Amino acid sequence: GEGRRVPRPAKGSAPAKPRRVEEALDVTQGKLAMGLRTDIKVTDAEYPALMLFNAVFGGTTTSKLFLNVREKLSLCYYASSQVEKLKGLMLVSSGVEFDKVGQAEAEILSQLYKCQTGDFSDDELEWARRSVVSTLMTTLDAQSRLEDYWLGQSAAGLTEAPDELAERVEHTTREQVTAAARKLTLDTVYFLKGKE
């Protein structure tokens, strides 16, 4: 297909209605990607809460996207979220059957809403916390990951070490996690479908 240029919105202003981009290629599996503005960068005080929210929502195998959208409802082959820490963006990616894309999108947004309203268990929060902290602490032991970490930090003008960030994650509350989740706005929905 021909690549349509998607106009870039002015920085910091998420559209009232998310932009939708659809593409048809010769693929056997659909791809649904959602771009959300987090309004939180790595330099912000809320960043540890954003990391925890991401882990509760879609960043781990104990996350809502993994357990509900993928395992329980079988709407996706995979579904996960990741934070772009320097850009203030979150990307949700999932592989879906073509006819399940509407259901999958609705369910992903429903799981986001649960995070925004504090509808997650203490266990879910603690699993997320352990996961984020352990990832940060293993960064200290792996030379290449430590280099990546410091490159990211220095690009953001930060001097906080992984263990210091882990310490902040340890003290992040449920309220802070839901407050971070509530800052998210859906910016773009991209769907790759098969050719008829």
Side-chain angles (χ1 to χ4, degrees):
E2 64 168 34
R4 281 192 307 115
R5 302 283 308 155
V6 179
R8 294 199 61 79
K11 200 149 178 53
S13 64
K17 266 179 77 117
R19 288 167 300 154
R20 293 191 168 269
V21 182
E22 213 170 82
E23 229 178 327
L25 290 176
D26 198 1
V27 287
T28 53
Q29 180 180 319
K31 187 169 165 63
L32 172 67
M34 297 159 99
L36 300 111
R37 287 172 187 264
T38 63
D39 210 19
I40 298 171
K41 295 202 175 65
V42 66
T43 43
D44 296 328
E46 304 104 309
Y47 185 67
L50 178 67
M51 292 176 83
L52 263 184
F53 153 66
N54 179 56
V56 169
F57 176 52
T60 63
T61 50
T62 58
S63 68
K64 288 192 172 295
L65 292 186
F66 189 89
L67 294 178
N68 294 290
V69 185
R70 180 180 178 271
E71 297 286 300
K72 199 168 86 188
L73 300 169
S74 303
L75 287 172
C76 300
Y77 302 104
Y78 64 89
S80 65
S81 64
Q82 66 186 62
V83 171
E84 286 283 335
K85 63 181 181 182
L86 297 174
K87 299 186 184 134
L89 297 173
M90 174 183 275
L91 186 66
V92 175
S93 12
S94 61
V96 291
E97 286 173 41
F98 305 128
D99 59 346
K100 286 187 178 170
V101 68
Q103 275 173 284
E105 182 184 335
E107 193 52 41
I108 288 167
L109 291 174
S110 150
Q111 298 300 332
L112 172 63
Y113 182 71
K114 286 183 174 178
C115 294
Q116 293 174 326
T117 54
D119 185 359
F120 48 89
S121 69
D122 290 341
D123 277 348
E124 285 176 278
L125 182 59
E126 287 319 306
W127 294 331
R129 198 187 305 274
R130 296 280 63 80
S131 164
V132 171
V133 167
S134 115
T135 301
L136 283 167
M137 297 315 278
T138 53
T139 300
L140 290 168
D141 305 325
Q143 188 65 47
S144 61
R145 287 180 54 185
L146 201 54
E147 285 166 13
D148 287 347
Y149 176 88
W150 282 116
L151 273 171
Q153 291 296 87
S154 75
L158 292 174
T159 57
E160 184 177 48
D163 48 341
E164 296 174 304
L165 182 51
E167 182 68 17
R168 287 206 290 150
V169 170
E170 287 285 8
H171 293 103
T172 299
T173 66
R174 162 185 284 279
E175 289 67 38
Q176 289 169 313
V177 172
T178 55
R182 282 198 297 273
K183 286 193 145 189
L184 267 81
T185 48
L186 181 58
D187 184 279
T188 305
V189 178
Y190 168 84
F191 178 47
L192 170 63
K193 59 182 184 177
K195 291 210 156 130
E196 302 308 311

